[in-house]
Amino acid sequence: MTTVLPGEQVPAQHVNLKLGPGLLQQTSVGGTPAVVSTRAGEVQHSANRNKWWIEGNSRRYAPAPQESVVGVVVSRSGENWRVDIGSAHMATLDGLAFEGATKRNRPNLKVGSLLYARVSLAHKDMEPELECFDAQTRKAEGFGELKGGFLVQCSLKMCRLLLDPHHFLFPLLGSRFPLESAIGMNGRVWISAKEPRQVIAIARCIEAVDPDGGGMDEAAVKKFLNTLDV
């Protein structure tokens, strides 16, 4: 992986380019488009989505369009809600940004409610905006209020690892007991299982595997689970 500092150019020149956190597209002196890093870290690239981003050790989330997040409703303002997603500014969620929502039929969210949402708008000079449906299908597709369960805080890097279908942790846990999860790119993971001890086991495993924590590997996690008897 290539390590860059703020202001350095990143060789991300492809069709339908998608830029994630830490990258900014601007026009160079010669008039050609250039992608520049806005923070220090490692350049990451997802070939199947053609998305580029900078992976750093920051725990402060910088919103990026199309990213999934887990948020907490902190207040209501007219027909909108203000949601804490762990970024520098509160996000706004429109009351109609749900599948099938109308002015007469919309969710009744309370302060403290957990949400699995998608960032629809992110700009450094504006508050981020959220919506709880898939942009293409307009269906919920798993987005919306998260009821019950438990919220785990972890590093941004750990969230990206958990979203990798080849990562070992959730398949390993799922082979032992049924579980549900909602993984936000903002350092928050919502988990749910039938028994409290299983929820505790999931949370402790996430914390142990987190690169900012123990960085435990698969073999060590298996031994750890055996000590928990789950």
Side-chain angles (χ1 to χ4, degrees), residues 146-164:
L146 299 170
K147 298 182 179 180
F150 182 75
L151 185 64
V152 179
Q153 301 275 357
C154 61
S155 69
L156 303 183
K157 188 171 185 178
M158 184 62 194
C159 286
R160 296 188 187 278
L161 289 175
L162 291 175
L163 286 168
D164 183 347

Side-chain angles (χ1 to χ4, degrees), residues 35 45 57 67 96 106 112 119 122 128 144 163 169 175 177 191-192 195 225 230:
V35 178
H45 176 220
N57 59 359
E67 289 191 340
L96 299 177
R106 65 184 71 196
V119 178
L163 286 168
L169 184 58
S175 67
F177 51 83
I191 54 176
S192 180
E195 300 180 18
L225 287 173
V230 292

Side-chain angles (χ1 to χ4, degrees), residues 2-222:
T2 304
T3 302
V4 294
L5 296 173
E8 289 190 26
Q9 190 167 331
V10 176
Q13 305 292 338
H14 296 279
V15 179
N16 298 324
L17 184 65
K18 297 178 182 178
L19 299 181
L23 292 176
L24 177 68
Q25 189 164 15
Q26 59 185 27
T27 304
S28 64
V29 178
T32 57
V35 178
V36 176
S37 170
T38 60
R39 68 187 188 197
E42 293 182 346
V43 179
Q44 302 286 334
H45 176 220
S46 174
N48 60 335
R49 294 183 298 164
N50 195 26
K51 184 172 182 178
W52 297 71
W53 70 93
I54 300 296
E55 190 76 76
N57 59 359
S58 173
R59 299 185 75 93
R60 171 59 66 90
Y61 174 63
Q66 312 305 318
E67 289 191 340
S68 302
V69 295
V70 176
V72 182
V73 176
V74 294
S75 66
R76 182 165 185 167
S77 176
E79 301 300 327
N80 301 331
W81 289 279
R82 292 178 61 77
V83 183
D84 172 18
I85 58 172
S87 61
H89 302 285
M90 294 292 173
T92 301
L93 174 65
D94 191 289
L96 299 177
F98 293 82
E99 179 186 355
T102 64
K103 290 185 177 181
R104 293 185 178 182
N105 178 29
R106 65 184 71 196
N108 184 24
L109 301 176
K110 306 294 185 183
V111 172
S113 296
L114 291 179
L115 290 170
Y116 188 47
R118 187 179 64 86
V119 178
S120 58
L121 176 66
H123 191 278
K124 62 183 180 66
D125 297 323
M126 299 174 62
E127 289 186 343
E129 295 183 6
L130 307 176
E131 51 191 29
C132 289
F133 51 66
D134 184 272
Q136 296 181 336
T137 65
R138 309 289 291 187
K139 300 293 185 180
E141 304 290 354
F143 293 114
E145 185 177 3
L146 299 170
K147 298 182 179 180
F150 182 75
L151 185 64
V152 179
Q153 301 275 357
C154 61
S155 69
L156 303 183
K157 188 171 185 178
M158 184 62 194
C159 286
R160 296 188 187 278
L161 289 175
L162 291 175
L163 286 168
D164 183 347
H166 301 294
H167 193 267
F168 71 87
L169 184 58
F170 276 176
L172 173 60
L173 293 171
S175 67
R176 292 183 174 238
F177 51 83
L179 64 91
E180 292 182 86
S181 67
I183 305 166
M185 302 289 279
N186 57 332
R188 296 174 181 174
V189 181
W190 174 85
I191 54 176
S192 180
K194 289 184 177 180
E195 300 180 18
R197 63 192 181 97
Q198 295 172 343
V199 173
I200 294 172
I202 300 170
R204 293 182 65 181
C205 285
I206 292 174
E207 293 168 354
V209 175
D210 194 329
D212 283 4
M216 192 178 286
D217 61 14
E218 184 174 359
V221 169
K222 289 180 179 178

